[in-house]
Amino acid sequence: MKHIALVVGATGITGSNLAEELVTQGWNTYGLARRPQNLPKSVSPISADLLDKDSLRKALKDIYPTHVFINTWVRRETEAENVRDNGLMIQNLLEVLAENHSVQHVALVTGLKHYLGPFEAYAKEGTLPATPLREEQKRLDYPNFYYAQEDAVYEAAARDGFTWSVHRPHTVIGKAVGNLMNLGTTLAVYASICKAQGRKFTWPGSDAQWNGLSDVTDANILAKQLIWASTTSEAKNGAYNIVNGDVFRWNWLWPRIANWFDVEYEGYQDKIRSLEDEMKDMQATWKEIAEKHDLVNDNLDQLASPWHTDLDLGRPIEVMTDMKNSRLKGFDAYQSTEDSFYRLFKKLRQERIIP
């Protein structure tokens, strides 16, 4: 039987790269989003609002996916609201899909906030987990919308009989525009502004992140693990961390990124220097850069998410991620982190997103 994929959140970093990989591997692929624009070639667009069950029912009436890949979330003012709406989105989706009785496997992408806590209590002193982060670590005693999403999948799996997998990437590096969490593109845009203005590419984060070990997740290696878990019998019904497979220190990588953009850099200097504060008045500058270099997007807010980069780079601990669960079951893909950043930067330049 031919695999039929439904990629939910198909316009984001994770979803768009996954959809592209599925098409490459010969899957019949649908991409669902509220505004499914600029999807990879050969991906069939589906427009629906996950919080509106009638919208979903109408959009999915004649769609019979065998595999569902959920790569989406919404951000609200409080974690209680995040829990409510993100859990409801998954419940609505899986209840509507159950009506066609086609789903064999559901894969859910969450992240390291599973271990580090929700936005309201993110990586706070006194609640810091042991690292490397391991899949068997217990849930934190906080409301967390990742837990609500997981529980919605588990409940639907028990009701409808499909298998499942949960995937927990670190910071995802890949191309997407308008994504809420986009460290790679944010740094590329910031470095481009630094070059245009002759300013230093200044480290915004903590001493622990500057000097400690870290890792990230290339969108392509995440896509590979998603497909592997959904098609490998031994991997089903499990939770998996997913990172590139190497570790680095930002005090090693930051100068290399600066060199790629041909700018001077400045490292950690005794305090956190918020990138969100640094970039808050740069819209006019970016518009000038976009006009000068004929870039495709002059809206800084659509390209950069400095608030999330501050969360990642400002953590008071080093963060590394153990991949025991998938390694023991045969997933052995590897990706160089330095190459992940350079490949993204080249793609952004080729597509005239940065100069």
Side-chain angles (χ1 to χ4, degrees):
M1 180 179 179
K2 185 176 178 64
H3 294 320
I4 302 172
L6 175 65
V7 179
V8 183
T11 58
I13 295 178
T14 300
S16 60
N17 283 275
L18 170 62
E20 196 170 291
E21 181 67 21
L22 287 163
V23 168
T24 298
Q25 295 192 22
W27 289 52
N28 185 5
T29 304
Y30 293 90
L32 187 153
R34 293 186 67 179
R35 291 177 292 276
Q37 302 170 342
N38 302 316
L39 295 181
K41 189 176 180 181
S42 300
V43 175
S44 302
I46 299 174
S47 176
D49 181 351
L50 293 173
L51 288 170
D52 183 343
K53 193 179 288 188
D54 290 337
S55 166
L56 277 169
R57 187 170 283 114
K58 184 181 297 184
L60 297 172
K61 179 182 177 183
D62 299 316
I63 309 298
Y64 295 84
T66 57
H67 294 68
V68 180
F69 301 91
I70 302 172
N71 316 264
T72 191
W73 65 286
V74 292
R75 189 183 183 195
R76 302 304 190 207
E77 289 296 320
T78 68
E79 192 61 19
E81 293 173 295
N82 284 334
V83 167
R84 179 196 65 202
D85 287 353
N86 284 282
L88 182 59
M89 289 196 308
I90 308 303
Q91 291 171 18
N92 286 345
L93 173 70
L94 297 180
E95 285 177 9
V96 169
L97 287 172
E99 296 171 10
N100 284 348
H101 307 286
S102 65
V103 176
Q104 300 172 15
H105 186 88
V106 172
L108 171 68
V109 178
T110 61
L112 296 195
K113 284 189 292 297
H114 183 94
Y115 311 107
L116 295 170
F119 292 121
E120 293 177 1
Y122 186 72
K124 298 295 185 184
E125 295 285 359
T127 63
L128 300 175
T131 58
L133 302 174
R134 303 180 185 276
E135 292 105 337
E136 65 264 24
Q137 288 173 224
K138 294 181 179 180
R139 289 182 174 185
L140 299 174
D141 190 23
Y142 292 110
N144 190 319
F145 78 84
Y146 283 169
Y147 305 161
Q149 288 185 314
E150 285 187 358
D151 289 343
V153 170
Y154 301 154
E155 291 167 9
R159 180 190 67 218
D160 301 328
F162 56 74
T163 57
W164 55 268
S165 56
V166 174
H167 304 260
R168 299 169 185 159
H170 198 164
T171 302
V172 178
I173 305 302
K175 176 185 170 289
V177 174
N179 191 270
L180 289 176
M181 300 188 293
N182 198 335
L183 181 143
T185 301
T186 298
L187 294 184
V189 169
Y190 174 51
S192 299
I193 292 172
C194 290
K195 184 172 183 178
Q197 294 189 327
R199 66 168 68 197
K200 290 184 178 180
F201 183 57
T202 301
W203 170 255
S206 68
D207 174 49
Q209 282 289 301
W210 177 251
N211 289 305
L213 289 171
S214 190
D215 49 29
V216 297
T217 306
D218 191 290
N220 292 320
I221 205 167
L222 173 55
K224 288 180 170 60
Q225 194 196 59
L226 282 160
I227 297 170
W228 165 82
S230 72
T231 56
T232 303
S233 58
E234 297 83 3
K236 293 174 180 178
N237 300 330
Y240 303 103
N241 292 335
I242 173 63
V243 287
N244 285 351
D246 61 1
V247 293
F248 66 93
R249 300 182 197 274
W250 279 106
N251 62 19
W252 171 86
L253 183 59
W254 195 258
R256 284 164 169 75
I257 293 175
N259 183 65
W260 197 93
F261 285 96
D262 192 26
V263 294
E264 293 185 42
Y265 77 93
E266 186 168 287
Y268 180 75
Q269 298 290 327
D270 299 324
K271 65 178 181 179
I272 290 176
R273 292 171 286 183
S274 166
L275 187 59
E276 186 173 25
D277 290 344
E278 178 81 357
M279 296 184 71
K280 67 181 178 181
D281 296 322
M282 290 183 173
Q283 173 57 54
T285 299
W286 182 252
K287 187 175 179 63
E288 292 175 4
I289 292 171
E291 291 175 355
K292 178 179 179 180
H293 296 278
D294 191 28
L295 304 183
V296 297
N297 194 326
D298 65 1
N299 189 334
L300 185 63
D301 290 338
Q302 289 184 358
L303 297 175
S305 54
W307 68 273
H308 186 264
T309 297
D310 281 344
L311 277 178
D312 271 359
L313 302 185
R315 291 179 295 213
I317 54 169
E318 62 179 10
V319 176
M320 305 87 67
T321 314
D322 184 83
M323 285 181 60
K324 180 183 71 174
N325 281 8
S326 60
R327 293 294 192 223
L328 290 177
K329 294 177 181 178
F331 183 76
D332 59 2
Y334 169 86
Q335 168 65 44
S336 161
T337 289
E338 189 175 10
D339 289 346
S340 288
F341 278 96
Y342 296 164
R343 184 172 61 193
L344 170 63
F345 299 156
K346 289 175 184 176
K347 192 168 188 176
L348 294 174
R349 185 166 283 175
Q350 289 167 356
E351 298 186 15
R352 299 195 351 266
I353 294 172
I354 62 171

